[in-house]
Amino acid sequence: MESLNSYIVGTCREMCPLEETEMREKRKLLHVLEILPGTETDWMPKADRSRMVKSFSRSAAGKAMQDPKNLRPPDVLLKTLNYLLEDVISRKDISWTVIYDFIMDRLRSVRQDLVIQNASHAYCISILQPIVRFHAYASYRLCEEDINNFDPVINSTHLQECLKRLLCMYDCCDELYETCHANSEEMNSFLVENRPHFEAFRTDLVETALELSLSYRNNNFVRVCRIIKQLPTLLLAVGALYLPKIRRNALKVMSVAYSCKNLVFPATALRSLLLYDDEEALIKDCKYYGLSVQERGLPPVHQDFINERLNNTNISTLILFGD
Amino acid sequence: MSFMTLAHYLQIMDRSWRSQDGGKIATFISVRHEHAKYANYQLEMPEGLVDKFLVSPVDELVVLHLKCLYYLGKEDYLTAYQQQSTLVQTFAKILQAQKEENWSLPIMYTICSDLRLIAQQAEKQKVGVNEKPGEILEKAAECLMGCFRVCAADNRSGEEDTKRIGMLALVNQLFKVYFRINKLHLCKPLIRAIESSPFKESFSLSQQVTYRYFVGRKAMYDSNYKSADEYLTYAFENCHKASRKNKRLILIYLVPVKMLLGYIPSKKVLEKYDVIQFWDLVQAVCQGNLKLFDELMEMHESFFIKCGIYLIVDKLKIIAYRNLFRKVYLILNTHQIPVEALQCALEYLGQDVDLDETQCIVANLIYEGKIKGYISHQHRKVVVSKQNPFPALTSLT
């Protein structure tokens, strides 16, 4: 109770505390992205001080989490965030799953430092927003990945956790930071996607997301698909993850409602209704489900029309600053 | 002005403890009892005085109670909460040590609901930065769980003096907390514990009503409308007729659930319990008047959200669609209804839908069995069954 209102302020000016750098170097715990170029094949690779980032570790008994020299103050955290989401994320020479694992772990430790120091709302918001976008982007980019390389459930848990915190922040300070509103709508609509949150700010995008969510609940697949198509890029990508479920429900309902011996439903109409890239994909799905729709759904896949939009966007800018 | 002297109060406590009068102690240890308001009971350091009159273990309880009153008097709810929380924990230990007796359960009921009420106050008072909403209530729930474990683990005593009879009161308190902090998933193990309890039927009626009210609401959120109807109906029928406020609360959930199952509430009942907001909604749904429906949703939005029924009321729109389409069918008097006609009706009522979406709405109704028939996409027609194309909603399972 004594320290109810006093929080530690970190003094570490680097992205990674010296202590950890030395420890991880000695124990050969360096990540590929942290090794000094040229020493990768050495028996004892060297740490590249400028690229070392503090890794996440759970708080445990007997571990000093509160040593100021191992904590990074908010401005350093912001710098770390920018390094991860600008430099690391755009590396083309390393597989994206490796990049994802690295960034996810290091962002988690950024969040941890943020909490221990009880950083101000302004800092929390400006750090959490890009993190949310990062997880959202990753959920789409890696949706076709094998479960061993990417776990969508864990990713979504992190996403939800950050969102929840962010929403609490907005609630506390919506008068103070009028400027945040522009970004917050997008954040809110993420949440609305899953579960309508009505205290959210009533803006056009939130309104749209709300409508989407309600239509989804009532299985109005025509409207759902129509709205998804009009979402901004990042939300579109997240929305696409729901497509297999939407299509399954749509096919299930339609197979009952349109069932008549002499009648057929044109594939072209169905294709555009349910946002399939081509008829082949549609036929594949229909075959998968057979005449009776199976309970287990298909995993999400990449959609050409979304990839096209993503390819024309700078990912760093998208994640750091939003659509 | 003062209530009775503190010395007198302490003597009563002493006598009641010795004679194992749980009910009396419960009354006098409640922060909602009259004595709580008087300054001579609000003591920061009551230890010295209390020790003169009371022996262990009841002295500890009274000390904590008087301290709690002190902070309540100062309107420092967080510290008051901490005192009350220690009080409940101390009591849990005493309760555990009492073998083969359960006379002190009334004390537990009182201090536990006091704990929840103070936690709610503390939660309101909290304004700090970075604080998580619901944190104090969550802690209070942990504290209540402590008592619950003591009660649930008492499987050696006979039926007459088992502490397991105290479980339901605690479960109800926990429900109140979990519903407030939106942690409904935590209710499941509690429900299982009660449903499998051999004393299921012996709990007091008032506790059973509360229990069924919450379980019914949970079933509603899980889209389990049939069982929601069962639980809420029991609660409504057995709730004491003088508890109008509670009856009203139950109705707020029972009405939309019933409507979804095809039953229409009478205006008289809605008036009687002051939930007349629903009457226009009933009209809109019965007439298939989607325009009115949308207006009502907007008008009563905050009421629906506050009660947590926005989503289920929104589901009634499906019933409104069905009723509207039935009207179109009756007007056209044909088994082959053009989709255009349905779309026209929807558009007339302010719905922004095209042919595809109209078909989608019909498709869902057919899938759910609310319309018997099929859609022909080529001819853009809904072909409905010659026999009973719009079966009564109550006949659907």
Side-chain angles (χ1 to χ4, degrees):
Chain A
M1 269 297 139
E2 357 94 54
S3 63
L4 196 65
N5 289 312
S6 62
Y7 290 92
I8 318 145
V9 180
T11 56
C12 171
R13 300 303 305 170
E14 300 292 320
M15 294 195 292
C16 182
L18 191 63
E19 204 176 290
E20 184 181 318
T21 304
E22 285 169 352
M23 182 277 284
R24 286 208 280 135
E25 194 175 40
K26 210 162 74 197
R27 296 197 194 161
K28 294 203 205 176
L29 288 172
L30 298 177
H31 192 276
V32 201
L33 288 156
E34 298 171 326
I35 295 175
L36 193 70
T39 66
E40 292 95 339
T41 49
D42 291 5
W43 180 75
M44 187 69 103
K46 288 238 164 9
D48 182 346
R49 288 280 151 84
S50 66
R51 294 194 299 148
M52 287 292 293
V53 186
K54 183 178 172 184
S55 68
F56 174 78
S57 72
R58 273 171 216 287
S59 60
K63 206 158 72 185
M65 300 296 292
Q66 313 206 327
D67 190 343
K69 70 178 188 303
N70 290 335
L71 287 172
R72 298 159 290 178
D75 60 310
V76 180
L77 292 175
L78 209 53
K79 202 183 83 187
T80 311
L81 180 92
N82 283 328
Y83 165 71
L84 290 171
L85 296 180
E86 261 174 78
D87 299 8
V88 178
I89 207 171
S90 43
R91 291 277 295 251
K92 298 271 185 284
D93 50 335
I94 295 166
S95 118
W96 218 79
T97 49
V98 177
I99 294 181
Y100 168 78
D101 282 336
F102 181 75
I103 297 183
M104 189 195 78
D105 178 85
R106 301 312 193 252
L107 284 179
R108 211 173 161 189
S109 108
V110 166
R111 269 157 56 203
Q112 198 180 32
D113 281 12
L114 212 54
V115 171
I116 297 177
Q117 300 175 86
N118 193 32
S120 74
H121 278 92
Y123 271 120
C124 286
I125 288 175
S126 45
I127 288 175
L128 283 170
Q129 281 180 342
I131 298 185
V132 168
R133 288 192 209 105
F134 167 75
H135 284 294
Y137 173 72
S139 65
Y140 177 74
R141 167 111 188 216
L142 297 173
C143 71
E144 290 180 344
E145 217 41 72
D146 187 78
I147 185 82
N148 293 321
N149 298 327
F150 172 72
D151 186 332
V153 177
I154 292 179
N155 185 61
S156 131
T157 314
H158 285 298
L159 177 68
Q160 299 280 343
E161 209 174 282
C162 296
L163 259 183
K164 237 193 274 170
R165 271 179 55 82
L166 207 45
L167 283 172
C168 288
M169 302 272 165
Y170 292 148
D171 280 350
C172 295
C173 65
D174 54 357
E175 292 143 45
L176 286 169
Y177 301 100
E178 285 291 331
T179 46
C180 296
H181 279 218
N183 286 322
S184 55
E185 18 177 290
E186 158 188 334
M187 297 300 148
N188 280 320
S189 28
F190 272 129
L191 196 80
V192 170
E193 193 107 77
N194 306 319
R195 175 179 343 116
H197 179 84
F198 293 94
E199 282 139 79
F201 308 113
R202 281 293 171 111
T203 55
D204 284 350
L205 191 53
V206 176
E207 211 61 67
T208 309
L210 208 56
E211 199 190 334
L212 174 64
S213 178
L214 288 173
S215 307
Y216 179 70
R217 251 180 78 84
N218 290 339
N219 200 23
N220 188 335
F221 46 86
V222 174
R223 179 160 292 226
V224 168
C225 290
R226 196 166 296 154
I227 297 174
I228 285 185
K229 244 183 359 196
Q230 292 159 4
L231 289 173
T233 312
L234 196 54
L235 287 177
L236 175 70
V238 176
L241 300 177
Y242 289 82
L243 276 179
K245 235 184 194 165
I246 296 164
R247 287 169 181 160
R248 179 164 66 99
N249 280 332
L251 292 173
K252 190 166 78 176
V253 166
M254 289 175 81
S255 68
V256 173
Y258 292 85
S259 93
C260 181
K261 269 181 228 135
N262 318 320
L263 295 175
V264 286
F265 197 94
T268 36
L270 195 56
R271 187 192 70 77
S272 68
L273 221 48
L274 298 179
L275 310 180
Y276 280 101
D277 283 331
D278 48 50
E279 266 171 51
E280 232 168 88
L282 166 68
I283 290 163
K284 210 179 104 202
D285 269 16
C286 287
K287 268 196 189 137
Y288 175 85
Y289 288 125
L291 278 177
S292 62
V293 178
Q294 308 291 310
E295 258 321 300
R296 203 171 58 84
L298 288 163
V301 289
H302 284 163
Q303 307 292 324
D304 289 345
F305 71 102
I306 298 174
N307 286 348
E308 228 164 80
R309 269 171 70 174
L310 279 174
N311 289 339
N312 295 330
T313 320
N314 180 323
I315 300 308
S316 284
T317 325
L318 181 68
I319 291 177
L320 283 170
F321 306 108
D323 277 309
Chain B
M1 266 289 281
S2 69
F3 187 58
M4 56 173 85
T5 64
L6 190 61
H8 189 188
Y9 168 86
L10 292 172
Q11 274 166 353
I12 293 178
M13 282 307 222
D14 183 49
R15 221 178 308 131
S16 313
W17 186 267
R18 285 177 203 275
S19 60
Q20 305 198 333
D21 187 346
K24 192 155 218 172
I25 297 179
T27 317
F28 280 95
I29 207 158
S30 169
V31 299
R32 287 165 291 167
H33 185 256
E34 210 192 334
H35 75 275
K37 289 199 275 296
Y38 295 97
N40 58 324
Y41 286 88
Q42 302 172 352
L43 300 171
E44 194 179 5
M45 308 273 232
E47 286 88 349
L49 195 63
V50 171
D51 283 350
K52 272 190 214 151
F53 288 89
L54 296 175
V55 290
S56 176
V58 66
D59 60 336
E60 235 183 302
L61 299 179
V62 174
V63 165
L64 287 162
H65 170 59
L66 298 177
K67 279 189 182 175
C68 179
L69 292 184
Y70 171 79
Y71 291 108
L72 284 178
K74 287 191 155 325
E75 294 189 357
D76 176 358
Y77 295 113
L78 187 61
T79 320
Y81 163 77
Q82 279 153 3
Q83 302 299 331
Q84 187 73 16
S85 164
T86 319
L87 171 63
V88 172
Q89 282 162 9
T90 312
F91 178 79
K93 278 189 207 123
I94 298 172
L95 186 69
Q96 192 166 29
Q98 293 177 335
K99 303 285 181 212
E100 316 263 322
E101 48 188 307
N102 67 359
W103 60 270
S104 58
L105 285 177
I107 308 174
M108 180 182 78
Y109 303 154
T110 304
I111 58 177
C112 285
S113 56
D114 282 349
L115 177 73
R116 179 178 58 80
L117 294 169
I118 299 171
Q120 274 165 222
Q121 288 293 336
E123 201 66 60
K124 267 190 222 151
Q125 202 171 45
K126 184 173 73 171
V127 274
V129 232
N130 254 358
E131 269 175 295
K132 294 179 203 122
E135 205 179 8
I136 302 171
L137 278 166
E138 226 165 298
K139 290 254 167 65
E142 267 169 45
C143 196
L144 295 172
M145 271 314 273
C147 288
F148 180 80
R149 274 185 219 107
V150 171
C151 290
D154 183 31
N155 43 19
R156 294 213 177 168
S157 316
E159 247 176 69
E160 288 302 302
D161 41 32
T162 179
K163 286 174 216 142
R164 283 198 279 173
I165 204 77
M167 280 161 65
L168 191 56
L170 290 168
V171 166
N172 286 338
Q173 290 297 333
L174 285 164
F175 279 167
K176 286 179 195 181
V177 175
Y178 292 154
F179 271 75
R180 198 170 274 261
I181 59 177
N182 207 7
K183 293 251 155 87
L184 293 196
H185 60 283
L186 296 173
C187 296
K188 208 175 162 193
L190 300 176
I191 295 173
R192 207 181 302 137
I194 296 300
E195 295 299 325
S196 66
S197 163
F199 307 101
K200 205 176 148 192
E201 304 305 322
S202 349
F203 296 118
S204 78
L205 186 62
S206 62
Q207 288 175 4
Q208 302 238 28
V209 168
T210 311
Y211 173 76
R212 293 236 189 4
Y213 164 71
F214 282 111
V215 179
R217 277 181 67 188
K218 176 154 190 324
M220 185 192 93
Y221 291 127
D222 295 339
S223 306
N224 210 339
Y225 304 119
K226 274 259 149 67
S227 85
D229 180 23
E230 255 167 59
Y231 281 110
L232 292 169
T233 303
Y234 177 98
F236 187 70
E237 284 172 356
N238 290 281
C239 181
H240 197 281
K241 68 174 181 215
S243 313
R244 292 181 70 100
K245 206 179 119 208
N246 285 344
K247 288 205 126 178
R248 177 174 183 269
L249 277 177
I250 300 168
L251 265 194
I252 287 175
Y253 303 96
L254 187 56
V255 167
V257 167
K258 280 274 192 201
M259 280 173 77
L260 212 51
L261 295 172
Y263 298 91
I264 300 305
S266 82
K267 192 174 182 185
K268 228 172 76 194
V269 173
L270 297 179
E271 260 168 2
K272 185 173 168 194
Y273 292 103
D274 186 30
V275 278
I276 201 69
Q277 290 99 320
F278 284 121
W279 181 245
D280 292 334
L281 195 72
V282 170
Q283 298 281 307
V285 171
C286 289
Q287 297 165 356
N289 188 343
L290 291 154
K291 193 167 180 205
L292 179 61
F293 187 91
D294 286 347
E295 283 165 11
L296 291 169
M297 282 303 273
E298 211 180 309
M299 184 159 59
H300 298 307
E301 186 187 67
S302 58
F303 170 72
F304 291 151
I305 292 170
K306 204 182 87 223
C307 302
I309 51 170
Y310 187 88
L311 293 178
I312 185 174
V313 172
D314 186 71
K315 271 219 176 282
L316 292 174
K317 200 166 184 179
I318 294 169
I319 313 270
Y321 284 135
R322 176 235 179 229
N323 291 340
L324 177 70
F325 293 164
R326 182 162 172 272
K327 281 199 170 157
V328 175
Y329 158 75
L330 290 173
I331 292 168
L332 295 180
N333 195 21
T334 167
H335 292 281
Q336 298 193 353
I337 314 164
V339 179
E340 280 93 350
L342 300 175
Q343 189 218 358
C344 177
L346 289 171
E347 264 189 345
Y348 176 72
L349 292 167
Q351 308 297 302
D352 169 32
V353 293
D354 58 10
L355 286 176
D356 283 338
E357 199 174 330
T358 309
Q359 267 176 230
C360 170
I361 294 167
V362 177
N364 273 300
L365 284 167
I366 294 176
Y367 178 74
E368 289 165 19
K370 293 189 173 81
I371 296 178
K372 284 205 271 182
Y374 62 85
I375 307 169
S376 158
H377 184 74
Q378 277 91 339
H379 307 102
R380 290 279 187 190
K381 287 228 163 78
V382 180
V383 183
V384 296
S385 154
K386 295 229 162 75
Q387 275 170 352
N388 199 14
F390 292 85
L393 292 170
T394 48
S395 68
L396 302 172
T397 42

